[in-house]
């Protein structure tokens, strides 16, 4: 039985390939985008979901490695939570109350943005960059609470995974090093309306 992983890898499982983002590079991209928004200065919190998830561990690693390139930026801490919108939003509010000097959020997953009114600060006073650009998250770009969303190509996960499986079964092909890496799409207030049209095409 041919096995392929998408979204989150399990390299010791015997799978023949993985399709998805490079999680370390994803974390670095989140931090570099955030640093640009913060002009290289300020205190950053990382919202990181499940502490034991290997893909999120790598994204957190990437954020911290990239943050080290900016002497004016300090990582306050990494904050974990149950991966539900309510728990994530509560964690953000709790952290902001305890650390009102935080000026940036590196969200390696967009859990908190699946709820309304999760970000209590005045738009623009705290910068935020998050992974994913699902429909519920786009309102935060429009309101100015989030500056950049880095969209995983979630529609492509299923389509490309079937494509890779068929190519392996029929032709014996395997991606180089067993890795088929997908890009992240940058979504901002300037292109959010255009990006939102994708969800009309992709909805079942």
């Amino acid at each position: 039985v041919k096995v392929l992983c998408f979204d989150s890898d399990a390299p010791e499982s015997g799978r023949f390939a993985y399709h998805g983002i490079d999680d370390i590079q994803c974390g670095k991209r989140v931090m570099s985008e955030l640093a640009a928004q913060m002009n290289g200065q300020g205190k950053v919190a990382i919202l990181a979901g499940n502490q034991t998830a290997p893909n999120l561990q790598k994204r957190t690693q990437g954020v911290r490695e990239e943050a080290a390139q900016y002497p004016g930026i300090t990582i306050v801490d990494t904050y974990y939570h149950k991966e539900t919108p309510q728990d994530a939003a509560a964690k953000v509010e709790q952290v902001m109350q305890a650390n009102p000097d935080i000026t940036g959020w590196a969200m390696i997953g967009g859990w908190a943005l699946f709820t309304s009114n999760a970000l209590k600060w005045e738009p623009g006073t705290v910068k935020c960059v998050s992974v994913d650009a699902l429909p519920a998250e786009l309102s935060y770009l429009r309101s100015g609470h989030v500056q950049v969303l880095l969209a995983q190509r979630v529609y492509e996960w299923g389509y490309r995974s079937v494509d890779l499986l068929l190519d392996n079964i029929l032709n014996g092909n395997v991606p180089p090093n067993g890795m088929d890496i997908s890009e992240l799409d940058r979504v901002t207030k300037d292109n959010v309306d255009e990006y939102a049209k994708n969800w009309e095409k992709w909805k079942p």
Side-chain angles (χ1 to χ4, degrees):
V1 176
K2 301 294 186 178
V3 176
L4 175 139
C5 293
F6 69 86
D7 181 26
S8 184
D9 197 9
E12 306 302 319
S13 67
R15 56 86 172 138
F16 76 89
Y18 159 73
H19 171 69
I21 63 173
D22 181 320
D23 287 302
I24 291 178
Q25 290 304 314
C26 172
K28 289 185 176 184
R29 178 83 180 276
V30 168
M31 188 62 242
S32 66
E33 293 277 3
L34 184 60
Q37 296 294 327
M38 298 173 65
N39 297 317
Q41 300 287 328
K43 294 186 176 182
V44 170
I46 304 172
L47 191 69
N50 183 347
Q51 189 170 4
T52 64
N55 60 332
L56 300 181
Q57 291 173 350
K58 289 180 180 178
R59 292 183 199 180
T60 300
Q61 176 187 340
V63 171
R64 288 185 173 275
E65 288 179 1
E66 183 67 19
Q69 307 302 312
Y70 300 91
I73 286 180
T74 301
I75 300 293
V76 177
D77 207 347
T78 302
Y79 298 96
Y80 304 99
H81 55 86
K82 293 179 182 178
E83 290 180 17
T84 69
Q86 294 76 19
D87 283 295
K91 179 61 70 173
V92 171
E93 185 171 6
Q94 173 192 352
V95 171
M96 288 302 296
Q97 288 177 352
N99 303 273
D101 56 344
I102 286 173
T103 52
W105 276 91
M107 297 186 177
I108 60 170
W111 309 277
L113 306 182
F114 301 155
T115 66
S116 60
N117 197 34
L119 308 184
K120 307 297 186 184
W121 54 78
E122 287 295 315
T125 57
V126 177
K127 306 299 184 182
C128 182
V129 174
S130 177
V131 176
D132 292 325
L134 301 176
E137 299 172 84
L138 302 182
S139 63
Y140 287 96
L141 284 175
R142 295 184 176 108
S143 70
H145 287 90
V146 172
Q147 281 64 51
V148 180
L149 293 175
L150 296 174
Q152 299 184 80
R153 297 177 180 178
V154 292
Y155 177 83
E156 186 181 272
W157 287 345
Y159 189 96
R160 180 63 178 159
S161 294
V162 173
D163 192 36
L164 290 165
L165 280 165
L166 288 173
D167 193 31
N168 181 261
I169 292 166
L170 298 176
N171 306 311
N173 291 332
V174 177
N177 302 314
M179 305 292 282
D180 186 66
I181 300 301
S182 178
E183 297 300 317
L184 291 162
D185 294 320
R186 186 175 189 266
V187 188
T188 69
K189 196 171 187 176
D190 293 334
N191 67 344
V192 61
D193 292 332
E194 187 64 28
Y195 182 83
K197 295 176 183 177
N198 287 319
W199 294 107
E200 292 301 311
K201 296 185 294 183
W202 295 338
K203 67 183 180 182

